[in-house]
Amino acid sequence: MGYYNNVFDGCNDQTDIGAVMRDGREVILQAYNWESHKHDWYRNLDSKVPDIAKSGFTSAWLPPPSQSLAPEGYLPQDLYSLNSAYGSEHLLKSLLGKMKQYKVRAMADIVINHRVGTTRGHGGMYNRYDGISLPWNEHAVTSCTGGLGKRSTGDNFNGVPNVDHTQHFVRKDIIGWLRWLRNTVGFQDFRFDFARGYSAQYVKEYIGAAKPLFSVGECWDSCNYNGHGLDYNQDSHRQRIINWIDATGQLSAAFDFTTKGILQEAVKGQYWRLCDAQGKPPGVMGWWPSRAVTFLDNHDTGSTQAHWPFPSHHIMEGYAYILTHPGIPCVFYDHFYDWGSSIHDQIVKLIDVRRRQDIHSRSTIRVLEAKSNLYAAIVGEKLCMKLGDASWCPSGREWTLATSGHRYAVWHK
């Protein structure tokens, strides 16, 4: 069993940064993909805000807001410039205003593991930031990526200067920028990009100082594979994610890459994978559901990058799983808006059932069946669901069919 020290979950004070996490009723939309910068994105999203709100999403994760050397936003340079390939600062602020009006929180993608320099410094590298806001020198860059700072406290993001978070002046400037995003620009939630690149203690410090309502980190490393494919037991993989959450002082959730890796194999006729040796869900969701953000794909794993895509013919089985289960589900833009109205409407229906049955991040779960062609579970004692092509329905007259589709069905009491 993975260990965590569950101090926040028993608290009821709703006035601090832990309140959203404790409530556990979030449903997130990742509101962009790898190609979005080509499509006047802030205007596009502005037109979709009413539908995003009506569909039941509480938070929409937006692309990195700052000026970047690469149009997708992941090679940031001038952090305080909000004119990006996604649109102008004016269009961003207009979008954030509309989201606030419709009560959908805006999540900023925080890319602070690395920063592209403007001028050459020590060793002839572009490791100085002259002429832009936060004009750092080489001491802001880790020694392992060509700077005069200390060694990195995490993994290197190769090819660009990595930020040295051990430097007090760097942390002070980052906190100032995060507070500005939070209090002046109007973002309410944070997503920490490439969180393996620097120690989680700094994420803890940044969240504590900027006070986002909700935070999630990207701790993505490889699942455990053997010569025949994915290992059944992924405990060491989920434990690494849990250790990161713990090191943030439990202030941040994390994307449940373990559940993604297992679920996308399970839907291929290996549903036995969805129950661990203790009878629990096999991902982070099974050990620390209030901090597990479950998802099928994102701009890296899916979209045009497709580094690790969920099997496209099984998308609805995947959503039937994460939208009925504990954890904090996150829906990908492409699936919701680009794969046709049927998938959009099926996802909306599942979100509606989740809300009506008051399923939340800590809802109880009993796995009833987990074999090759069938998975069934009761969640929160008021929702029952099945996946797979085997014939199955819950026993007892109290269950009514709520929604169903290809290879999935959901019942409620």
Side-chain angles (χ1 to χ4, degrees), residues 255-327:
F255 287 104
D256 191 348
F257 282 93
T258 319
T259 289
K260 172 181 165 51
I262 294 168
L263 185 59
Q264 64 189 31
E265 297 302 319
V267 294
K268 299 172 186 172
Q270 302 174 18
Y271 282 112
W272 46 267
R273 292 183 178 275
L274 294 182
C275 188
D276 71 10
Q278 284 72 46
K280 291 176 174 284
V284 179
M285 178 215 293
W287 278 355
W288 205 350
S290 68
R291 300 294 186 278
V293 176
T294 53
F295 70 105
L296 304 191
D297 266 325
N298 61 31
H299 59 288
D300 290 322
T301 67
S303 190
T304 51
Q305 294 202 91
H307 290 314
W308 197 39
F310 201 92
S312 57
H313 296 303
H314 298 279
I315 285 294
M316 282 316 306
E317 291 154 82
Y319 281 121
Y321 181 81
I322 69 170
L323 289 170
T324 59
H325 275 54

Side-chain angles (χ1 to χ4, degrees), residues 113-129:
N113 171 76
H114 47 274
R115 186 185 178 201
V116 176
T118 58
T119 48
R120 292 181 192 268
H122 171 75
M125 311 277 281
Y126 279 90
N127 51 19
R128 295 181 59 87
Y129 302 89

Side-chain angles (χ1 to χ4, degrees), residues 30-275:
Q30 178 176 1
Y32 67 101
N33 61 35
W34 194 245
E35 304 296 323
S36 298
H37 63 90
K38 300 173 181 173
H39 302 287
D40 197 7
W41 202 247
Y42 292 152
R43 271 202 186 91
N44 169 52
L45 284 184
D46 196 280
S47 69
K48 289 185 164 61
V49 169
D51 183 67
I52 291 169
K54 186 169 66 117
S55 299
F57 293 104
T58 57
S59 180
W61 159 22
L62 302 183
S66 300
Q67 177 266 333
S68 162
L69 200 64
E72 299 85 9
Y74 291 94
L75 294 178
Q77 195 167 48
D78 188 349
L79 294 182
Y80 277 96
S81 170
L82 297 179
N83 296 305
S84 74
Y86 295 100
S88 66
E89 175 174 351
H90 173 75
L91 286 171
L92 172 61
K93 287 185 171 173
S94 169
L95 170 62
L96 296 183
K98 190 163 184 179
M99 290 173 68
K100 187 173 185 182
Q101 180 191 338
Y102 278 88
K103 296 185 168 53
V104 177
R105 298 198 315 274
M107 179 183 289
D109 200 328
I110 305 299
V111 186
I112 50 175
N113 171 76
H114 47 274
R115 186 185 178 201
V116 176
T118 58
T119 48
R120 292 181 192 268
H122 171 75
M125 311 277 281
Y126 279 90
N127 51 19
R128 295 181 59 87
Y129 302 89
D130 302 311
I132 56 174
S133 61
L134 307 184
W136 297 339
N137 62 20
E138 300 94 324
H139 291 280
V141 177
T142 61
S143 59
C144 22
T145 58
L148 292 173
K150 296 189 173 138
R151 285 193 64 76
S152 175
T153 55
D155 295 344
N156 284 335
F157 187 90
N158 294 320
V160 287
N162 284 218
V163 173
D164 181 6
H165 293 263
T166 70
Q167 305 285 353
H168 182 265
F169 77 91
V170 166
R171 295 201 307 281
K172 179 167 161 285
D173 282 350
I174 287 175
I175 286 168
W177 176 67
L178 292 173
R179 283 176 169 162
W180 176 73
L181 288 178
R182 173 80 180 88
N183 301 321
T184 303
V185 179
F187 286 101
Q188 292 156 296
D189 298 352
F190 291 163
R191 178 258 184 188
F192 289 92
D193 178 66
F194 198 69
R196 289 167 44 206
Y198 50 99
S199 171
Q201 76 185 70
Y202 303 120
V203 174
K204 177 182 181 180
E205 184 177 340
Y206 299 147
I207 293 172
K211 297 183 168 43
L213 294 179
F214 179 83
S215 297
V216 56
E218 180 202 26
C219 301
W220 182 13
D221 65 0
S222 184
C223 286
N224 308 323
Y225 290 89
N226 57 52
H228 308 288
L230 186 74
D231 283 346
Y232 167 66
N233 187 324
Q234 296 291 330
D235 288 356
S236 63
H237 186 267
R238 58 175 162 174
Q239 187 65 53
R240 287 194 294 276
I241 296 174
I242 275 167
N243 292 345
W244 182 87
I245 298 167
D246 228 4
T248 70
Q250 308 164 30
L251 294 179
S252 182
F255 287 104
D256 191 348
F257 282 93
T258 319
T259 289
K260 172 181 165 51
I262 294 168
L263 185 59
Q264 64 189 31
E265 297 302 319
V267 294
K268 299 172 186 172
Q270 302 174 18
Y271 282 112
W272 46 267
R273 292 183 178 275
L274 294 182
C275 188

